[in-house]
Every structure is written in structure tokens, then in C-alpha cells.
Amino acid sequence: MKKTMILISMSTIFFFLQLNTIQAKSVLTNDRSLFTYEINNLQFSHDKLNITGWGLLQNTAHFNGQSDHQYSLTLDSGDHQVKINLKKKRKNLNRLIHYRGYKRCLDHSSNRKSCNYDFTHVGFEGVIPLNSLKTNRHYKVFLTLSSKKMKTNYQTSIFYPNDRQVTKSVYDKTYTLKELSKTKTVIVVTHDTDNLERFDKVVQL
């Protein structure tokens, strides 16, 4: 009798270990009607690049808590990748994204188009350390929204339009935000020897 109880306990532990290995699927999309987002600010500050914005998935699930979704950035140059976790901010877009005449969706519903979901925690902010990027690279920037309800990681390339070119020089490196297309913005990192020479002269003085 004692051996049987031990076997059942071991079987239960093994079962829970198996559950923890389940991976969420990933979806890459540029469909703004599905993954709706806006980059409010992308600005250099000393040796960092600050980013703020918001993002949500329409007609999928409620976004009204701190634990039901997560935001992150991925910077990919092809041979080098950097991932930055973003901090969630309370931002309420219920009035903006609301279908008049529809009722509120039930708390545990998903993938409904005939009701309104809550979008009260859809803001994000974060910092990209510039020293984490390598020189002579073009980094494509992707925003990822991980939804626990949908068990899916939705990823989209970000677009941040600028009236003028945004550039930051730090020692011997120059960082430039450049529009690659009407759907993509890249971070271009170049080696700037002239800037390093100017910095050396200042240090010597």
C-alpha cells in the first residue's frame, strides 16, 4: 500500500512538470486591424533610447490587468539580436476602441466580435541601452505582445515616422533612426572615427 501511494505522487509531479513545458505559439503580423499599436515617443537620451507607446489585440480578450499580457522589444540585425522587456503602463482606450451598441464581453470570453473588450492597461515604456548594439548594423525593431489568454506571442515590426532624421553620437558610434519603409523603422549603428577624434581632443584638454 505504501509503494502505491509513492507511485501516484511521482506520477502527479511528472504531470505538472509536463504542463510547464508547453510553449506559446508565435505569430508575425503587420495587420494593424489585429495588432493595433502606436509609438508615441522614440527618443535618444545620453546612452539610451527611450520608447513609449501602446498596443492591443482587437476582438481577442480583455486587457484590464497586470498579469494577462506582457510587452517586449526585439532588435534584430540578422547576426545579432537584443530583447528588451517593457514596463506596462495604465492607459485606457475603451472610448477610442468601442463599438456603439455592443455590450461588454464576458470576463472569460475570447475571439468575440459582437461585444466590447476592456483596454485599460495597454500602455508600455522601456529603455534600450545603446551599448547593447553592435556597430555597422541595421537593427529591425519588433514589438511583441504576449497574451496569456490566447497563449500566443504576437509580433509586429514597428514604424515611427519622423519629419527629420534622428541621430545620436556616443563616443565612436553614431545611432540613427531611419524609415526602412512605410511599415518599418530601423536603428542604424555606424562607427564614427571623426567623433572619436573630437572626443579624444576634449579629454586631452
Side-chain angles (χ1 to χ4, degrees), residues 43-50 127-130 168:
Q43 185 175 19
F44 290 109
S45 174
H46 187 49
D47 57 350
K48 301 177 179 65
L49 179 61
N50 303 304
V127 173
I128 303 168
L130 296 181
K168 176 70 174 180

Side-chain angles (χ1 to χ4, degrees), residues 81-96:
Q81 191 176 90
V82 176
K83 185 174 181 179
I84 307 293
N85 289 324
L86 301 175
K87 180 182 178 181
K88 278 181 288 187
K89 294 178 62 180
R90 179 175 174 80
K91 186 174 184 64
N92 191 330
L93 294 180
N94 284 346
R95 290 186 178 181
L96 179 64

Side-chain angles (χ1 to χ4, degrees), residues 99-159:
Y99 297 97
R100 187 172 297 177
Y102 284 175
K103 295 181 178 180
R104 181 182 180 274
C105 298
L106 297 176
D107 288 340
H108 302 292
S109 68
S110 60
N111 290 324
R112 298 292 302 276
K113 295 185 178 181
S114 58
C115 57
N116 288 310
Y117 285 104
D118 293 336
F119 301 113
T120 59
H121 283 79
V122 295
F124 59 78
E125 63 182 1
V127 173
I128 303 168
L130 296 181
N131 60 11
S132 65
L133 307 179
K134 295 184 178 181
T135 54
N136 302 320
R137 302 289 197 285
H138 286 60
Y139 285 91
K140 296 179 183 178
V141 187
F142 298 92
L143 174 66
T144 299
L145 194 164
S146 302
S147 171
K148 291 185 179 180
K149 178 71 175 180
M150 306 303 296
K151 296 181 180 178
T152 304
N153 301 319
Y154 293 88
Q155 188 177 74
T156 186
S157 55
I158 70 167
F159 174 61

Side-chain angles (χ1 to χ4, degrees), residues 30 32 35 37-39 42 51 72-74 124 128 140-144 155-161 177-178 180-187:
N30 281 323
R32 295 289 289 268
F35 191 166
Y37 77 93
E38 183 175 317
I39 305 301
L42 198 59
I51 182 170
S72 63
L73 279 184
T74 301
F124 59 78
I128 303 168
K140 296 179 183 178
V141 187
F142 298 92
L143 174 66
T144 299
Q155 188 177 74
T156 186
S157 55
I158 70 167
F159 174 61
Y160 183 68
L177 294 177
K178 183 178 292 186
L180 188 63
S181 67
K182 292 302 180 182
T183 60
K184 295 182 179 68
T185 294
V186 297
I187 302 174

